[in-house]
Every structure is written in structure tokens, then in C-alpha cells.
Amino acid sequence: MEVIQDEIQGGVIRVLVVDDEPTIREVLTDFLVLEGFEVLCVQSGEEALRILDQERFDVALFDMKMPGMSGLDVLEQLSGQDRHRRLIKLMMTGYGTVETAIKAMKLGAQDYILKPFKVHEVIHVIHRAIEQRAIEAENIQLREAVRLHEVSEAMSDARSLDEIYDLLI
């Protein structure tokens, strides 16, 4: 998790909770703060999009069914936006179907949490998603290191400055 910690401002993982039910927002906030996360809650998809345009979060938990803009609508708005590419998106719902789960995953949700949930399960899903993101970042760094090593070996085998120049280009 060290790799992702380097990307996270101040080492604190910021979580956005998007749910229209005040009780769920309060319970998740209490437990996530105890777990060491910095948490902000909003009650609608529209608010979520506004706050995501203004602030950086590491994880977002979206309720599937909300008045107005649903969690899937929010995911659809976020999909393809490069600035939200690193955001870990998790979907929560009490009305889960295979079809909605597939749609959420296609729109970029990393996991799908069914309500009613146990808070420790939500925390486990968040930690697992963060670890998976850290592994992905580490794999990217390793691929870059291997490529750099390959280029340096090719440069050491080069016989002329022109060959080295061609390798660098």
C-alpha cells in the first residue's frame, strides 16, 4: 500500500459517501473516521459531481437508488473523465441485480456492496480496493523499470552514437 500512499495527499485516504439516507451516511462516517479515513458525505448524485469537480477523493461510495441522479448516472458522468481515473468507485444498493452489477462494473465501479451491509464488510471492501490499486500502480512502475533496463542494455550494446540516438528516439 506504500505506492498508493505516495499518491495520497498527506497519507490520509479521502472517502466520499453519496447516499440519500441520513442514517447510512452517519454510520459510515463514524466507522470510516474511526478507521482513519477522512470522510465527506453528500445526499445526491448532483452534489457528488459538484464536489468531485472541486476536490480530490481516493474512494467514493455511491448509492444506486437516489432521487434525481442515481449512482449509475453519476458513474456514467464520471466514466471517461481522465481526472477521475484514479478514483476508486464503489456501488452500494439494496436493489441489486446481476444486470445492475454488470452495468456498474462496465461504468467503472470496482466493487458492489449489497444493503443491508455490515460496516466491517464495507471497510474490508475499501481496503481491498486500495490494495488492488496499489498493486496496479506497482505493476506500472515495474514495467517502466524493465523497459528502462532494456533500453540501457541496448545502449550499452550500441556501437555508435547514431545507434544510441536512434534508441533514445
Side-chain angles (χ1 to χ4, degrees), residues 64 72 91 93-107 112 114:
M64 175 82 70
L72 285 175
M91 185 63 62
T93 185
Y95 308 96
T97 66
V98 173
E99 292 81 19
T100 56
I102 290 170
K103 185 170 183 180
M105 298 301 184
K106 283 183 178 179
L107 290 171
Y112 196 80
L114 292 174

Side-chain angles (χ1 to χ4, degrees), residues 5-68:
Q5 288 293 351
D6 292 341
E7 296 177 10
I8 295 171
Q9 296 173 345
V12 175
I13 296 172
R14 300 192 71 220
V15 179
L16 177 65
V17 176
V18 185
D19 200 303
D20 59 321
E21 295 179 43
T23 307
I24 289 179
R25 291 194 309 267
E26 290 170 18
V27 168
L28 283 173
T29 298
D30 290 345
F31 281 94
L32 293 174
V33 167
L34 282 174
E35 196 66 25
F37 298 116
E38 182 179 315
V39 181
L40 178 67
C41 294
V42 296
Q43 62 184 356
S44 72
E46 294 86 1
E47 279 184 275
L49 289 175
R50 270 194 304 279
I51 201 78
L52 285 168
D53 279 340
Q54 298 169 4
E55 297 183 39
R56 184 183 167 283
F57 289 87
D58 305 295
V59 178
L61 294 160
F62 300 104
D63 184 23
M64 175 82 70
K65 288 201 173 214
M66 294 181 286

Side-chain angles (χ1 to χ4, degrees), residues 147 151 154-155 158 160-169:
R147 182 67 184 134
V151 168
M155 286 176 63
S160 70
L161 287 175
D162 287 336
E163 288 178 313
I164 292 173
Y165 180 72
D166 288 341
L167 284 170
L168 291 175
I169 298 236

Side-chain angles (χ1 to χ4, degrees), residues 37-148:
F37 298 116
E38 182 179 315
V39 181
L40 178 67
C41 294
V42 296
Q43 62 184 356
S44 72
E46 294 86 1
E47 279 184 275
L49 289 175
R50 270 194 304 279
I51 201 78
L52 285 168
D53 279 340
Q54 298 169 4
E55 297 183 39
R56 184 183 167 283
F57 289 87
D58 305 295
V59 178
L61 294 160
F62 300 104
D63 184 23
M64 175 82 70
K65 288 201 173 214
M66 294 181 286
M69 182 177 271
S70 73
L72 285 175
D73 294 335
V74 175
L75 284 180
E76 197 163 356
Q77 291 285 321
L78 296 176
S79 71
Q81 291 186 16
D82 197 46
R83 83 179 284 232
H84 300 297
R85 183 179 51 84
R86 301 292 303 155
L87 177 67
I88 296 169
K89 302 165 199 85
L90 304 171
M91 185 63 62
M92 303 180 293
T93 185
Y95 308 96
T97 66
V98 173
E99 292 81 19
T100 56
I102 290 170
K103 185 170 183 180
M105 298 301 184
K106 283 183 178 179
L107 290 171
Q110 194 161 338
D111 213 329
Y112 196 80
I113 301 164
L114 292 174
K115 293 178 183 178
F117 51 75
K118 294 183 174 126
V119 178
H120 74 274
E121 291 171 352
V122 175
I123 291 168
H124 176 73
V125 167
I126 292 171
H127 281 295
R128 185 176 63 218
I130 290 168
E131 287 171 11
Q132 183 177 351
R133 183 60 48 90
I135 289 169
E136 290 168 4
E138 191 174 330
N139 283 340
I140 289 168
Q141 287 180 341
L142 287 172
R143 281 196 299 270
E144 290 171 355
V146 165
R147 182 67 184 134
L148 184 60

